[in-house]
Structure formats: C-alpha cells, structure tokens
Amino acid sequence: MAKLTPPPLRNDCFAMPQGAHWTPVDTALAHLKAHLSAVTGTQTLPIAQAAGRFLAADVIAARSHPPHRNSAVDGYAFAGPAPEGPHELPLVDGRAAAGQPYAAPVPPGYAIRILTGAPVPDGADTIVLQEDVTATKSAIAFHGPLKQGANARNAGEDMTAGTVILPAGRRLTPADLGMIAATGVGTVSLRNPLRVGVLSTGDELAKPGQAADNAQIYDANGPMLRATLARWGYKAIDLGQAPDDRETLRAMLDAASDKTDAILTSGGASAGDEDHVSALLEGTGSFALWRIAMKPGRPLALGLWRGTPVIGLPGNPVAAQVCTLMFGHPALQVLAGGDWPVPHRYSLPAGFAKSKRAGRREYQRARLTDGRVEVFASEGSGRISGLSWATGLVEIGDAAANIEEGDPVSFMPWGSFDL
Ligand code: AMP
Ligand code: MG
C-alpha cells in the first residue's frame, strides 16, 4: 500500500490566545488537543507485528465470531427445550467435535455427542452438560429443565462480519490482536512508530557513567525520558547533551529535525539568559511559552523547528517528568496517530494532610499504602528519588483545598500514563 504522510503542523499550532497570565492545565490540554494531528505515515503489516502500535484505519470484521453456532461445553446436543422432569434420548451414531463437524441433521427425538467448540448440527440447538447425564453407548438420560439454546453460542453473538470492531487511533493491546485474529483479519493498517528525539541541555550536564567534577550533574532526564518514550512504543532517539551555547544547540536541532518526528528537550526552556531552547524557538516564529498554572512546572516552551514539533520541558527532573506525563503523553500520542488519552483518576482516601491556595493545580509524587494515598516527604522538584519511590501522582485541583487524612483525593497510578 502507498505510504501516506500527513500534512505538516501549522506554524501557529502552539500559539495560545493571549490574556490569562497563567494558563490552567485544562486550557493547555484543550489547546494541544485542538491543534495537534498525526504526523506519521502509514503501513500495512501482519498482526504479529502490530502490538502496541496505533491503527491508521478502522478494523472491520472479515467474518462473524463465532462463525457458526457451536457448543460451549462437552455434552449432548438435541432439539430443546427440555421441560422439567426426566428425559431419555437415543444417541445418533457419530459425534460433533471442534474442527470435525457432524454433517447430517440430528433426527427429531435424538441426541448427539458434542464437544466444546463443535458446530451444533442441524436438528439440534440445546446442549446438556456431560456431567448432568447418565450415558450408555446408545442413549442418555438427564433431568430438565433446560432452556432452548442452553450451552450453545450463537453465530455472530460476539462480533458481526462487516462491522467496525476497532477504530483508527486505537493503540493495539494483546487482547485486540486476539479479537482481530478471531474475525479472520490478518493484516492491519498502522501508523509508523513516532521517532522522538531527546535532548538534554545545560553546561552542567555530564553523561551518566563518565567522570564528572563537582560543578557538574549527571543527565538524569535523558535516560528517564527515553525509557518513558520506549514504554509508549515510540522510537526514542538519543540526541545527547547540548551545552548552553546557542549555535551548538542550533546545529544539534537542525540535525535532529531531519531524523525525528518530534523532539523533547529538557532545560533552558524559560526566559532567562541561558534559556537557549526558548530563544532559538522564538526565532522560528512558531514559539510559544506556556505559563501553566501547575506545580511542579515552570513554563513549557513549544514550537516547530524546521517543521518538527519541539516540546521544551523544564530541566528539573520532577517537573520534566510530570510535564511529560501530563502534556507530552497526550501530545505525542496524537502526533503518533493515536486518539487523545485521558489518564484514569482513582478517588482514594488521603494518607496525608495539606492545604493549598486557589489558582494552580498541584501534582505530588504519591503511592498507595494500605489503600491510602501517601505523598513523598518533600515537594522539591529536584528530588528525583521521589519519582522512583512513587507509583503515581496525586492531583490536587486548581481550587483552594484543605485536605485532611481520609478525604478522597485523585490518584493517577503510572499505569494511567501507560507507564
Ligand atoms: P533549567 O531548566 O535549565 O534552568 O534547569 C533547572 C534545573 O534542572 C537545574 O538545577 C538543572 O541543573 C537541572 N537539570 C537540567 N537538566 C537536567 C538533566 N538533564 N538532568 C538532571 N537535572 C537537570
Ligand atoms: Mg539549564
């Protein structure tokens, strides 16, 4: 099938209407949802290669499931119903087994040995469990009542030929593959995996595992973000560490934009002297600095570098990861051809107390202990150990809150972000 590549994103796709000083999380999300679209091409592949990929087209059942009326149990088939009371039926010679149907009709008043999955022969529609039967070679006896159709699965009761069983944009789960296969479909149209570059910025960064002096810190964001992207099924491309030097960064972004569909940078995303990601994106005319009313998280720098969307994350690892989960996860999923994901939130009792003022949303590293949501001891955005300690985030809404132990709070396990 011909490779299709979608049209490029518009240069103003990240331009947020001016006015509000701080943009609420939901407004920022709504903006991304409204302005982003798939940037990946498509290809048709066997379902064996489709796990975790996004459907580029609806999947339509090639045939019904089950394709024929068949038995749900091992037992004996006959024409039902069987009213209350004892029954005795002669057996036909032969049996119906899975893959070995009994071709002739079952005569009225007769029963036939049938095994699970076997097509129910004509003349029969009801099956009595073998455990409920006394049988000889030539007859069975059992007690009613048995409703007509008992223990039989009807043709097409699960899925109907010609109908859409999965929509374009769906990320295929293992169960989806089973379902697709069951309807006789062997290949599916998929989006090519999104190639996402990860670039860490800052003069202070050293590569993990290499010698570093005390003025340096190790690049924690790079490995964390690349592993996150890999979990989402994207091709994570290591773009390394960029110094706080505009021309070097420019050259790195140029090279990166040729081999990526999207770029995540971390650090240098604010409006300070050494915030070169923002400065460079500003020169493209596509730049937007989003001041999102949330903690953690400073501005998010967004723009297109030679047509490639760049999400400029804060440098602090906790802020970088929270922004990646809250904004990067849905944004990248749409760029990859997926539908817009909304993380599941579970209302659970707080294992902590906290009061906060109105005006911004807060995300804290959290985990479940004995059914209660516990938060990490420190809210410091540089404390990367808390991300590892946590099994999810607790979300505390934009409004003022006075949370006491036992109050319901909104917990989002990492699984809510497909991690
Ligand atoms: P920035 O956003 O560049 O001002 O960085 C904010 C903080 O995050 C600073 O303390 C940086 O040293 C730190 N930081 C930036 N990038 C990384 C990284 N890749 N790994 C760990 N810490 C980082
Ligand atoms: Mg920096």
Side-chain angles (χ1 to χ4, degrees), residues 37-379:
S37 52
V39 296
T40 47
T42 63
Q43 75 191 132
T44 297
L45 284 177
I47 56 172
Q49 294 167 45
R53 302 274 298 264
F54 292 106
L55 282 176
D58 295 348
V59 177
I60 293 167
R63 68 174 196 180
S64 294
H65 181 261
H68 46 66
R69 169 182 286 205
N70 69 87
S71 180
V73 297
D74 288 346
Y76 297 86
F78 59 96
E84 175 113 40
H87 297 271
E88 201 180 318
L89 297 175
L91 281 174
V92 298
D93 191 19
R95 61 166 207 173
Q100 292 170 20
Y102 183 78
V106 176
Y110 276 74
I112 182 173
R113 175 74 171 137
I114 193 165
L115 300 179
T116 307
V120 179
D122 286 347
D125 55 15
T126 303
I127 297 129
V128 57
L129 253 74
Q130 68 182 25
E131 290 84 345
D132 295 341
V133 162
T134 316
T136 65
K137 269 193 154 33
S138 57
I140 56 167
F142 61 94
H143 282 278
L146 267 165
K147 281 192 198 140
Q148 188 167 33
N151 299 314
R153 309 163 175 145
N154 282 327
E157 71 174 21
D158 189 22
M159 291 178 277
T160 310
T163 60
V164 173
I165 54 168
L166 288 170
R170 166 93 172 181
R171 187 203 296 278
L172 291 171
T173 66
D176 290 345
L177 299 183
M179 177 168 100
I180 293 170
T183 65
V185 173
T187 60
V188 281
S189 174
L190 300 170
R191 291 283 176 179
N192 294 329
L194 193 74
R195 301 163 305 165
V196 188
V198 176
L199 181 63
S200 304
T201 74
D203 277 342
E204 72 276 35
L205 297 184
K207 246 193 197 338
Q210 292 188 351
D213 62 40
N214 272 343
Q216 291 180 294
I217 61 161
Y218 287 112
D219 173 13
N221 292 340
M224 176 170 64
L225 295 174
R226 291 197 305 275
T228 299
L229 295 167
R231 278 285 176 100
W232 293 338
Y234 305 140
K235 277 204 177 111
I237 299 170
D238 184 0
L239 302 174
Q241 293 86 22
D244 286 320
D245 173 80
R246 209 158 290 183
E247 290 321 305
T248 310
L249 183 59
R250 181 196 303 280
M252 291 176 90
L253 286 174
D254 281 350
S257 63
D258 290 339
K259 56 179 181 187
T260 56
D261 302 306
I263 299 171
L264 295 184
T265 64
S266 67
S270 300
D273 295 348
E274 298 294 345
D275 287 320
H276 301 288
V277 174
S278 310
L280 283 171
L281 286 176
E282 190 146 29
T284 66
S286 64
F287 172 67
L289 193 65
W290 287 13
R291 295 159 61 84
I292 300 169
M294 69 184 264
K295 181 187 171 189
R298 292 181 312 175
L300 209 55
L302 298 153
L304 299 177
W305 189 263
R306 304 211 302 191
T308 302
V310 177
I311 302 179
L313 301 162
N316 271 312
V318 177
Q321 185 69 345
V322 170
C323 287
T324 298
L325 299 184
M326 288 307 300
F327 302 105
H329 178 242
L332 293 173
Q333 185 155 320
V334 169
L335 294 173
D339 44 23
W340 177 263
V342 177
H344 287 295
R345 292 159 165 90
Y346 300 87
S347 183
L348 292 164
F352 62 94
K354 177 184 176 72
S355 60
K356 77 174 266 295
R357 286 189 306 198
R360 71 175 179 189
R361 192 173 294 186
E362 295 197 11
Y363 295 92
Q364 284 192 50
R365 288 148 281 179
R367 72 180 185 193
L368 276 186
T369 306
D370 300 329
R372 295 197 154 210
V373 180
E374 218 188 331
V375 290
F376 188 57
S378 161
E379 293 186 25

